[in-house]
Amino acid sequence: DLVQEARRALGSPQRLRALRGQLAPLLRDTLVGYNYLFYAPPGAQVIRTNPLFVRSHDFIGSYGTQSTWASTEVLATGWPSNAGGRLVGSLVNLPYALAQGEQNFLVPEAEPALIWTDLVPQMLVTSRIARWWKLSPALVEWVALHIQYGRLSLAEAAIDEQRRQQVLEVLAQFGLPGEVARVAYWLEQGAPDRALNHVTPTELFMFARRLVQEERDPSDPLARRIQQLAAREPAEINYEAVSRTFGTPKPLLRASYRPQLLGLRRFPTLMGYSSRILAESWEANLLYFATLAHELYLRPTQLNLVVPEWTRLAVEKIFATHLEDWRAVWRSLQEAGAVIAAERRKELGEYLQASLN
């Protein structure tokens, strides 16, 4: 009884100090718990079902180790009562460590399905960074226009040889050589839809950016709209703002947790294993989700709520057959997008029907 204990301690410095000592662990657990809840990945289970998970956070580390200022890590598995299933170290790397601990609760829809161990935590961390409360609809539209212009350029390249050479030259700066060769093949065959399956949203955005910058007086209405929006609000609509708003944290590539887009080629696996560098080179999710939100007429602030759930759905739909099957992630995004769009249209239809009645 805090009130009763405080009354008893009035006029006694020793009792007040003792009461403060009793409250300190509870306050610490509360503050740590707030951090856990804020960065809890979508579909989190351990943090909600294990009452000792937060309280068992080990800031010091086991005997003979020094973890006081080390990055957060997952210690073993199991329950905290048997020294497993807890986080050790500081709170520096807490979002990624939570995602590591929770990723096994996301069950793939297809069996057997290969999912990269380092990729899923990176995707979950990226989705949990709340950054869209003050996002302008114009910036979301600007990103969506780039993706649409990239798709349109691919379709045009299937029937225009000069455009094809231009698109392939720009795409070669961002895409993997093997994937660019496949894109060239399908464009020559007049199948831009199949070529699109080999181009990620990041590559679409990057080469659309390069095409728009190279055309000073574009004839395409999408390119003109992109330039007009940037000229109208240059302080808010620029590529640095896109990088900051729709990028991913890169603690290994850039030694920073600040979200950013680098437009790098995807890293291959290392000696048959995935790595965080490989995961940090995947930057497509938020660009795709921004385009999807624009097409579904969602407010930018709604991204803070829907992106974590969309990410969970995309993770569960990943179905890769080998470690280099990166197109599986892109396919999962497209499958998740189709499900989300269908549900959104159903909701809008029900709303319109209710309003008419």
Side-chain angles (χ1 to χ4, degrees), residues 38 90 92 109 155 193 195 216 270 308:
F38 184 81
S90 66
V92 171
E109 294 184 358
D193 54 337
R216 295 185 177 181
L270 302 176

Side-chain angles (χ1 to χ4, degrees), residues 285-333:
N285 290 32
L286 294 186
L287 293 174
Y288 176 76
F289 289 151
T291 305
L292 184 62
H294 177 71
E295 294 173 353
L296 298 179
Y297 305 101
L298 295 178
R299 295 189 300 273
T301 53
Q302 289 180 271
L303 291 174
N304 293 286
L305 301 177
V306 299
V307 165
E309 292 304 318
W310 290 357
T311 301
R312 179 188 59 80
L313 181 61
V315 168
E316 292 177 344
K317 288 186 175 295
I318 295 177
F319 180 69
T321 56
H322 57 88
L323 280 177
E324 299 296 344
D325 187 14
W326 273 95
R327 287 193 296 119
V329 188
W330 178 209
R331 289 195 302 267
S332 71
L333 285 175

Side-chain angles (χ1 to χ4, degrees), residues 228-246:
Q228 290 171 359
L229 284 175
R232 190 177 65 188
E233 302 179 44
E236 295 185 5
I237 301 178
N238 53 69
Y239 293 107
E240 180 61 30
V242 174
S243 176
R244 182 173 59 252
T245 307
F246 298 102

Side-chain angles (χ1 to χ4, degrees), residues 100-253:
Q100 278 186 307
E102 296 282 1
Q103 67 170 326
N104 292 327
F105 290 93
L106 301 180
V107 182
E109 294 184 358
E111 295 183 16
L114 174 66
I115 296 181
W116 294 264
T117 305
D118 303 281
L119 173 67
V120 173
Q122 179 73 14
M123 292 172 62
L124 297 178
V125 169
T126 300
S127 71
R128 286 300 301 165
I129 301 177
R131 62 185 101 169
W132 300 294
W133 292 114
K134 297 182 180 180
L135 177 61
S136 67
L139 187 60
V140 178
E141 179 187 1
W142 203 57
V143 172
L145 288 174
H146 277 79
I147 302 297
Q148 294 171 5
Y149 184 55
R151 294 171 179 168
L152 180 64
S153 299
L154 275 181
E156 187 180 350
I159 58 176
D160 187 337
E161 186 175 354
Q162 182 178 359
R163 186 64 161 175
R164 186 187 312 156
Q165 294 299 324
Q166 182 187 20
V167 166
L168 291 176
E169 288 177 3
V170 177
L171 185 60
Q173 302 175 23
F174 306 104
L176 296 174
E179 296 297 322
V180 176
R182 293 184 180 91
V183 171
Y185 172 79
W186 289 117
L187 291 180
E188 291 174 357
Q189 298 298 316
D193 54 337
R194 294 195 174 187
L196 185 61
N197 291 331
H198 296 272
V199 184
T200 68
T202 308
E203 293 162 358
L204 283 173
F205 180 84
M206 290 299 175
F207 91 76
R209 169 184 176 177
R210 187 63 58 85
L211 291 176
V212 170
Q213 290 176 336
E214 292 178 353
E215 299 178 6
R216 295 185 177 181
D217 188 18
S219 58
D220 189 275
L222 286 178
R224 287 201 304 270
R225 177 63 175 168
I226 290 172
Q227 293 183 352
Q228 290 171 359
L229 284 175
R232 190 177 65 188
E233 302 179 44
E236 295 185 5
I237 301 178
N238 53 69
Y239 293 107
E240 180 61 30
V242 174
S243 176
R244 182 173 59 252
T245 307
F246 298 102
T248 64
K250 295 178 172 60
L252 290 183
L253 286 175

